[in-house]
Amino acid sequence: MTKKLHAAEIATGLSDFDALAGPIPRQHVTVAAARSSSGATAFALGVVRHNDEIGHQAAFASFESGADTIMGNLVAATTSVNTDRPLSIDPGRRARIDRARKAMEQSRLLLWSRAGKPGKWAFAHLMKQLAAQPGLDLVVMDGYSQAAYGEPSEGATFAALQQLARERDVAVLGTAHLTPDKDAPETDPPALSDLSSMEGPVAEARNAVVLHRPDRRGTVPQRRSEVDLIAVHGWQETGSATVRFEPEYHRFVDLPNT
């Protein structure tokens, strides 16, 4: 049985996962955790792009990339043009890029980067900007450990995200990095227990999804370009849905309907 989401609900935009797990809840923090090169940023960008397109007021904050990189990745995902290879972009593709960039700039999507923000706890600057932004539906924060760097007390960053979600009826999604177990096979799915000590607080998030890319080292060719989205806890149903990862376009898409 699949679930139909209401327009007011916050979804990932990936049909199989949304049908399995249901919406990303408002008033709570959700964590998307993954090993490096597994697509956590692409997943986060996809969620914010989907919700912007359907009319939700969304914000994407990166503690890992500059504003130009964020915009370039969003444009690549929208246009199916590899913006990381500018010399291969012909005039027709350039026109698609320009149109997509203009549309993105004119949308209500709020993009924020820590680049150039003074002070040790750059997260405080993000919170000030969000406080002045009315009508938020979704806040996506990429890079929890970097956001928490310099926090005044342990867990202050996560507590602030929880307060934001609760008081403003916002869905908050944050990404976190998992450290591989050197003794475990690459094909074994990661777990939240692999979170670093800096990112430990996000294990308390009500909802957690773990991204597992079996072929991230190129050793499992039969699973090439596949990522398992594992609904760990907090969802209407737990389990796994597999999607296709297209790193050249910085996006996830549903697998073909076979």
Side-chain angles (χ1 to χ4, degrees), residues 150-197:
E151 62 185 1
S153 59
E154 185 176 355
T157 302
F158 186 71
L161 290 173
Q162 287 183 309
Q163 183 177 0
L164 169 70
R166 183 175 59 253
E167 293 184 352
R168 297 189 58 183
D169 191 31
V170 174
V172 175
L173 173 68
T175 67
H177 293 290
L178 300 172
T179 303
D181 183 345
K182 295 181 180 179
D183 297 326
E186 186 73 11
T187 52
D188 284 1
L192 288 181
S193 58
D194 298 330
L195 286 165
S196 68
S197 57

Side-chain angles (χ1 to χ4, degrees), residues 24-189:
I24 300 173
R26 293 177 183 263
Q27 300 186 3
H28 295 280
V29 178
T30 295
V31 61
R35 296 167 178 155
S36 63
S37 303
S38 295
T41 296
F43 176 76
L45 282 169
V47 172
V48 81
R49 185 168 62 93
H50 167 73
N51 283 279
D52 175 60
E53 289 175 350
I54 64 175
H56 287 145
Q57 176 67 73
F60 183 87
S62 176
F63 285 82
E64 299 187 339
S65 303
D68 289 343
T69 299
I70 300 169
M71 178 61 78
N73 293 348
L74 285 168
V75 168
T78 302
T79 61
S80 299
V81 175
N82 187 346
T83 57
D84 297 328
R85 301 181 63 185
L87 296 180
S88 66
I89 301 176
D90 61 28
R93 292 176 180 174
R94 175 60 59 188
R96 281 160 52 195
I97 288 174
D98 292 343
R99 288 194 299 269
R101 182 179 293 271
K102 183 177 181 180
M104 202 78 67
E105 290 171 346
Q106 293 177 345
S107 76
R108 297 197 303 157
L109 177 61
L110 172 66
L111 299 180
W112 184 94
S113 169
R114 72 165 296 169
K117 303 299 187 298
K120 198 172 182 181
W121 194 35
F123 176 80
H125 293 271
L126 169 63
M127 294 304 290
K128 288 180 181 178
Q129 184 160 350
L130 294 178
Q133 189 72 25
L136 283 171
D137 296 297
L138 170 68
V139 173
V140 177
M141 191 184 77
D142 187 33
Y144 180 83
S145 61
Q146 292 90 335
Y149 177 75
E151 62 185 1
S153 59
E154 185 176 355
T157 302
F158 186 71
L161 290 173
Q162 287 183 309
Q163 183 177 0
L164 169 70
R166 183 175 59 253
E167 293 184 352
R168 297 189 58 183
D169 191 31
V170 174
V172 175
L173 173 68
T175 67
H177 293 290
L178 300 172
T179 303
D181 183 345
K182 295 181 180 179
D183 297 326
E186 186 73 11
T187 52
D188 284 1

Side-chain angles (χ1 to χ4, degrees), residues 198-229:
M198 176 65 75
E199 297 179 309
V202 300
E204 302 300 319
R206 172 182 158 172
N207 287 44
V209 54
V210 168
L211 283 66
H212 175 42
R213 184 184 181 188
D215 191 47
R216 71 189 185 105
R217 300 296 189 197
T219 58
V220 192
Q222 66 272 25
R223 296 293 312 276
R224 183 183 178 187
S225 301
E226 291 186 354
V227 172
D228 298 326
L229 302 180

